[in-house]
Amino acid sequence: MNAIEKIIAAHAGLKTVKPGQIVDVNLDYVMANDATTTLSIDVFQKELKGERVFDREKVVLVMDHYTPCCSVDAAETHKKMRQFGRDQELSYIYDGVGVCHQLMLEHHAKPGDFIIGADSHTCTYGAIGALSTGMGSTDVAVAWMEGKVWIKVPFAIKIRVSGKWPKGVYSKDLALKVIGDLTAKGATYKALVFEGEAIRDMTVSERVTLCNMGIEAGAKFAYMQPDEKVKTFMKDMGREYDPVIEDDDDASYEWILTYDVENLEPQIAYPNSVDQVKSLSDFEGLEIDEVFLGACTNGRFEDLEIAAAILKGKKISDKVRMLVTPVSNAVYMKAMERGLIGTFIESGAMVSPPGCSACFGGTIGLIGPGERLLTTANRNFKGRVGSPDGEIYLASPATAAASALYGKITDPRKVI
Amino acid sequence: MIKAKTIKFGDNVDTDQIIPAQYLSLSTIQQIAPHTFEFHGNFANDFKPGDIICGNDNFGCGSSREQAPAVLQERGVSAVIARSFARIFYRNAINIGLLLVECEKADEIRHGDVLEIDPQKGVIRNITTDCNLEITPLPPFMQEILNCGGIVKYIDNRRGQYDGLECKSISEI
C-alpha cells in the first residue's frame, strides 16, 4: 500500500485497502465554517434528529468567511452557529481569529490524521501528512452524528519535483503550473502525492500553499510525506508528532509526473478558471485595480515577509488599492512584532483582521465591473470577488507585491 | 422517466456560478434559490421548473457549498446531465437526492433540446435531434443512496426507522 492507503486502512480498522474500495473511516476531526454550517445544523437537528455530536473535542466550528459581519444575514448565521456550539458544549469554536484551514494546522491536525471539513480547501492538511478532504453540509452533519464517513479509496498520482528553487519563484508558481497541466478536472477523485528535492527544500508554509491548491485540479487529497520540518512545526505548535507512515515497497501510483523547478518562471492564472495558466511574461504590464495578499493559500507569515521585503520603504502605485489580510491572529501578531504590518501601512496598503477576506466575495475587497484583481488566493472564477464583469488573476505574494508597486502585472524578479 | 427541455452550460461550471458567495449567509434555501445562476442568461431567461440542466466536463467544481445542488433542487431542476462531475458536488447532490446523469456525449446536447431520461434503462432520448445517448451507470452504492432519496433516509434505513425502499448498509457493498 502507499501511505494514503495505509492511513485510510488504519482509520477503517482494516489491514489493507485498495483503490476503488468503499470503506467507513473514523474521523479525527470534523471542521465546519460559517459559509455552510447552518445547513449542517438544520440537517443534524431537523432531519437526522441529532441530539449530541459524536465527540465535542473533535467537532471544530470556525467563523471566518463572513468575519467581521457585513450584513444582518451573516450576523444571524453566526448567532445560530455560536448557539449550536454552546448547546453542544464544543471545545473549539473560533470566532474571527483566522481562516479555518490555518487554525486546523495551528491547533489540531497532525500527521496520520483523517479529517473532513465543510470546505473544499480542506485538502490543505496533507502538507503535514494528514489526510483531509472537503465535503458538503449533509456529509458533515452525518459525521457529527456518527464520527465517521464513507470514502472511496482513491487512485494516486505522484508528482515528483526536482531542482533548486530559483530566486523569485515560489510554491504558488509550481501549484499554478501543475494545475494548468493537470487541468481543473485532471485529479478528480484522485490523490496527489508530492515528493522530491524541491518539496523537501520547501518550508511547511510553502507546502501548505501547494496542498491547498490540490482541489483546483479536483483532487480528493493532496499529500506529502512528513519530515523533520513538519516535526519542528508540530513542536512549535505545541503538539505531538506521530510516527511517520511510509509507502510500502509495493506502493502503487496510477501515474507519475515530473517537474524541475530550476526552469520554472512566475506563473499567472487568468480568468475565469484556475487551470488557465501562463508564464507571467505573457501578462507583463497588464494594468490592475486591486491587489489582495492573503487567504489560506498565501496569507501566512512567510508570505507576508516576502511581500513586505519588496514593499519596504516604497509606496504602492496610486492606480491600485492593496488589501493585506493575515491568515490568523497568530500570523498577525508575529507580523506586527516583526514590523511587517507597519511596512504594509506605510506603503499605502490596507490591513484587515484575519479571515477569508477578498478570497471569498462575502465581505470586503470586492471589485467593480471592468476592474482587475491580482490576488494570492486560490480561485479566479467569474464573480468570485464582486462583479461578474470584473477579472481575477492569481499569482504568488512576490508577484502581488511587485505588481502593487507599479499598478500593473510585474515580474518580481525585477524588484528583489 | 423525466421529459423536459434542456438549459445548456459548458465545461467547469463552478459552484460560485451556481450560487454566488454573497447569498450563502441567507437563512434558508428558499431565500437563496432566487439567485441561482443569476449571471447566466440561459438560466435566467429560459428556465422553467422541471427543466434539465446540462453541462460538459467537471460540472460543479470549486467550493464545497451544498447550497449549489440544494438551490437547483429547490428551483425544480429535474436532473443534471454532464460528461463528468466534480467530486464534492457529485456527493452533495446524491446526498440530497438530486438526480445526476453522467453521459459521455453530453456535449452533443444543445440548449433547448427536449430530452427524455430513463435512468432505469440507462438511456437519454433526445427528442429534438431524434437520437439516443447512453448513460454511464451510477456506482451501485451511490444508486442505493439515491434510491433512498438521499443519505439521511439511507441512514434512517440503516437504523431500521425507515420502511421505504430497501437499502444496503455500507459494509454490505
Side-chain angles (χ1 to χ4, degrees):
Chain A
M1 291 190 290
N2 62 38
I4 286 174
E5 289 153 11
K6 287 167 88 168
I7 294 174
I8 293 173
H11 285 81
L14 298 170
K15 281 187 179 147
T16 59
V17 297
K18 57 178 193 296
Q21 188 178 350
I22 291 173
V23 296
D24 271 340
V25 288
N26 291 303
L27 299 166
D28 293 296
Y29 288 102
V30 181
M31 185 279 295
N33 63 45
D34 52 349
T36 55
T37 294
T38 53
L39 259 188
S40 295
I41 294 171
D42 288 345
V43 174
F44 183 81
Q45 292 177 332
K46 294 175 190 164
E47 296 185 41
L48 290 166
K49 311 278 188 260
E51 288 173 4
R52 305 299 287 179
V53 298
F54 77 108
D55 187 336
R56 66 187 194 90
E57 301 282 326
K58 293 183 176 179
V59 171
V60 179
L61 297 185
V62 185
M63 282 158 263
D64 56 0
H65 283 63
Y66 291 105
T67 54
C69 285
C70 63
S71 70
V72 174
D73 295 318
E76 278 185 34
T77 290
H78 284 181
K79 190 178 166 195
K80 184 171 173 177
M81 247 178 112
R82 287 187 200 102
Q83 192 58 50
F84 178 78
R86 285 173 194 147
D87 291 348
Q88 293 289 332
E89 299 175 306
L90 301 185
S91 296
Y92 305 105
I93 306 168
Y94 297 101
D95 197 343
V97 297
V99 180
C100 55
H101 305 307
Q102 181 67 16
L103 297 175
M104 289 301 290
L105 287 167
E106 290 177 4
H107 303 292
H108 301 289
K110 59 185 185 301
D113 275 359
F114 197 111
I115 299 169
I116 67 160
D119 188 285
S120 60
H121 293 105
T122 304
C123 57
T124 302
Y125 327 144
I128 61 162
L131 273 196
S132 52
T133 192
M135 290 193 186
S137 303
T138 299
D139 273 323
V140 161
V142 169
W144 283 349
M145 184 100 137
E146 305 208 324
K148 57 187 182 182
V149 288
W150 68 267
I151 190 111
K152 192 172 172 184
V153 181
F155 288 91
I157 300 170
K158 181 169 282 187
I159 300 188
R160 194 171 279 153
V161 191
S162 61
K164 293 284 177 204
W165 286 91
K167 191 174 139 189
V169 179
Y170 303 90
S171 173
K172 182 62 160 290
D173 300 304
L174 175 64
L176 294 176
K177 178 76 182 163
V178 170
I179 292 158
D181 291 348
L182 282 173
T183 78
K185 62 158 193 166
T188 300
Y189 304 121
K190 299 181 197 298
L192 291 177
V193 178
F194 296 93
E195 67 162 37
E197 178 193 7
I199 304 296
R200 286 195 298 276
D201 286 349
M202 285 173 151
T203 62
V204 170
S205 173
E206 289 174 315
R207 296 177 192 183
V208 171
T209 301
L210 191 50
C211 287
N212 178 268
M213 302 277 297
I215 180 66
E216 307 312 332
K220 183 181 287 184
F221 302 119
Y223 182 80
M224 295 171 181
Q225 183 73 50
D227 61 4
E228 284 300 313
K229 287 180 181 171
V230 172
K231 201 168 179 174
T232 306
F233 172 82
M234 293 301 293
K235 200 175 162 193
D236 290 348
M237 297 295 137
R239 296 206 306 291
E240 63 183 293
Y241 176 64
D242 287 345
V244 170
I245 299 160
E246 290 180 331
D247 281 5
D248 291 332
D249 293 337
D250 64 350
S252 70
Y253 289 88
E254 196 171 51
W255 31 291
I256 298 176
L257 280 174
T258 57
Y259 285 87
D260 186 335
V261 292
E262 280 182 23
N263 300 316
L264 187 63
E265 294 183 12
Q267 304 287 308
I268 297 276
Y270 57 97
N272 291 312
S273 178
V274 186
D275 63 356
Q276 301 206 139
V277 177
K278 287 182 181 173
S279 287
L280 182 148
S281 53
D282 287 332
F283 298 99
E284 183 111 43
L286 185 73
E287 291 187 350
I288 51 177
D289 301 285
E290 179 171 308
V291 174
F292 174 57
L293 171 62
C296 51
T297 327
N298 278 125
R300 275 170 292 284
F301 178 78
E302 291 83 346
D303 302 310
L304 304 189
E305 197 175 33
I306 289 165
I310 292 169
L311 295 172
K312 192 164 178 64
K314 296 175 182 160
K315 294 280 182 199
I316 62 169
S317 164
D318 58 10
K319 291 181 181 154
V320 296
R321 68 259 187 193
M322 180 175 185
L323 174 61
V324 180
T325 304
V327 71
S328 70
N329 265 349
V331 169
Y332 202 158
M333 289 290 283
K334 189 172 173 185
M336 265 201 301
E337 285 161 16
R338 304 286 178 89
L340 307 187
I341 302 299
T343 297
F344 292 129
I345 293 172
E346 281 167 9
S347 74
M350 299 172 266
V351 181
S352 84
C356 297
S357 190
C359 173
F360 176 83
T363 51
I364 56 173
L366 308 187
I367 56 171
E371 288 197 313
R372 288 196 192 105
L373 166 68
L374 181 71
T375 171
T376 65
N378 39 36
R379 288 196 171 129
N380 58 349
F381 300 155
K382 188 181 172 77
R384 168 89 178 173
V385 189
S387 170
D389 299 318
E391 294 181 357
I392 307 173
Y393 295 79
L394 309 180
S396 74
T399 300
S403 303
L405 285 179
Y406 294 96
K408 48 194 177 186
I409 292 181
T410 303
D411 192 324
R413 294 173 297 186
K414 290 179 179 165
V415 295
I416 55 175
Chain B
M1 179 86 85
I2 292 160
K3 182 179 174 184
K5 79 168 191 296
T6 309
I7 305 293
K8 188 66 202 271
F9 296 88
D11 287 332
N12 299 327
V13 172
D14 59 74
T15 54
D16 277 79
Q17 291 179 55
I18 300 174
I19 187 70
Q22 62 264 37
Y23 305 118
L24 302 183
S25 61
L26 296 171
S27 304
T28 64
I29 291 298
Q30 291 72 27
Q31 286 172 290
I32 301 171
H35 303 286
T36 306
F37 276 126
E38 68 179 6
F39 306 142
H40 282 270
N42 278 1
F43 190 90
N45 302 330
D46 297 342
F47 178 79
K48 298 274 183 304
D51 282 351
I52 295 161
I53 298 278
C54 180
N56 292 336
D57 271 323
N58 205 26
F59 189 96
C61 63
S63 161
S64 68
R65 61 191 69 161
E66 193 168 298
Q67 291 94 333
V71 293
L72 297 181
Q73 191 176 50
E74 175 64 23
R75 291 289 294 268
V77 170
S78 57
V80 184
I81 302 171
R83 283 185 66 183
S84 63
F85 290 95
R87 184 185 68 83
I88 305 175
F89 179 87
Y90 183 85
R91 203 170 159 134
N92 287 345
I94 303 283
N95 276 348
I96 64 169
L98 175 66
L99 179 63
L100 299 187
V101 178
E102 218 173 79
C103 172
E104 188 57 38
K105 293 185 173 170
D107 53 339
E108 292 177 8
I109 299 169
R110 299 164 312 178
H111 185 63
D113 282 359
V114 176
L115 309 178
E116 239 176 34
I117 305 174
D118 189 337
Q120 267 69 44
K121 285 187 182 159
V123 69
I124 300 169
R125 170 104 191 121
N126 190 330
I127 292 169
T128 308
T129 61
D130 192 25
C131 65
N132 286 337
L133 304 170
E134 201 179 325
I135 294 172
T136 311
L138 279 178
F141 177 54
M142 304 304 284
Q143 189 63 54
E144 288 293 339
I145 296 174
L146 200 57
N147 288 349
C148 290
I151 192 87
V152 170
K153 286 178 184 156
Y154 176 90
I155 286 170
D156 278 352
N157 180 265
R158 274 207 308 195
R159 292 176 184 152
Q161 295 169 356
Y162 182 68
D163 302 323
L165 296 153
E166 277 189 23
C167 305
K168 291 177 188 172
S169 77
I170 292 171
S171 56
E172 288 172 62
I173 302 298

